[in-house]
Amino acid sequence: MSVLQDQQARTDVLNRLRRAEGQLRGIQRMVEEGENCLKIGQQFSAVRKALDSTYLRMTVCFLEQELNARIHPDAAQKADLDHMVKDMETLLARIG
């Protein structure tokens, strides 16, 4: 099984996870303090979207990494591949 090797992508994913972790801690505090259920529900929705976005970003980075490793594109192909992967990420984000 492969791992996400791009350090910038790993940092991005980890930062997103840390933000989601902070949001979850905030939800825990809200529940402990007896906050309004609607406000808590809104925060749950925000965390879910953040995690979905993080998962998509990690998956796209991994896909890009694996494609580059297997097909070894030249400069022109790399530019086309980068554009295609970015378009795919945009499309997938819209269905999430």
Side-chain angles (χ1 to χ4, degrees):
M1 173 147 305
S2 296
V3 298
L4 188 59
Q5 296 172 359
D6 182 284
Q7 188 58 43
Q8 183 176 351
R10 289 174 72 177
T11 299
D12 180 44
V13 168
L14 287 170
N15 287 339
R16 290 168 179 248
L17 288 171
R18 287 182 183 111
R19 279 193 298 274
E21 181 181 26
Q23 288 176 295
L24 284 171
R25 277 194 241 109
I27 292 171
Q28 288 173 338
R29 275 192 301 278
M30 292 172 79
V31 170
E32 289 170 349
E33 295 170 0
E35 186 68 58
N36 179 290
C37 289
L38 182 58
K39 289 181 181 179
I40 294 170
Q42 290 170 335
Q43 291 305 308
F44 269 115
S45 178
V47 171
R48 288 180 61 198
K49 287 179 183 178
L51 288 174
D52 287 346
S53 170
T54 302
Y55 177 76
L56 175 60
R57 185 72 196 120
M58 184 209 56
T59 302
V60 168
C61 288
F62 176 74
L63 175 64
E64 188 173 33
Q65 168 188 299
E66 294 302 305
L67 285 171
N68 285 317
R70 283 169 175 67
I71 64 174
H72 306 290
D74 62 28
Q77 292 169 326
K78 175 89 170 92
D80 287 343
L81 183 62
D82 289 346
H83 184 71
M84 180 204 65
V85 169
K86 189 67 178 164
D87 286 347
M88 184 182 69
E89 183 175 10
T90 299
L91 289 171
L92 289 173
R94 290 182 182 163
I95 64 172

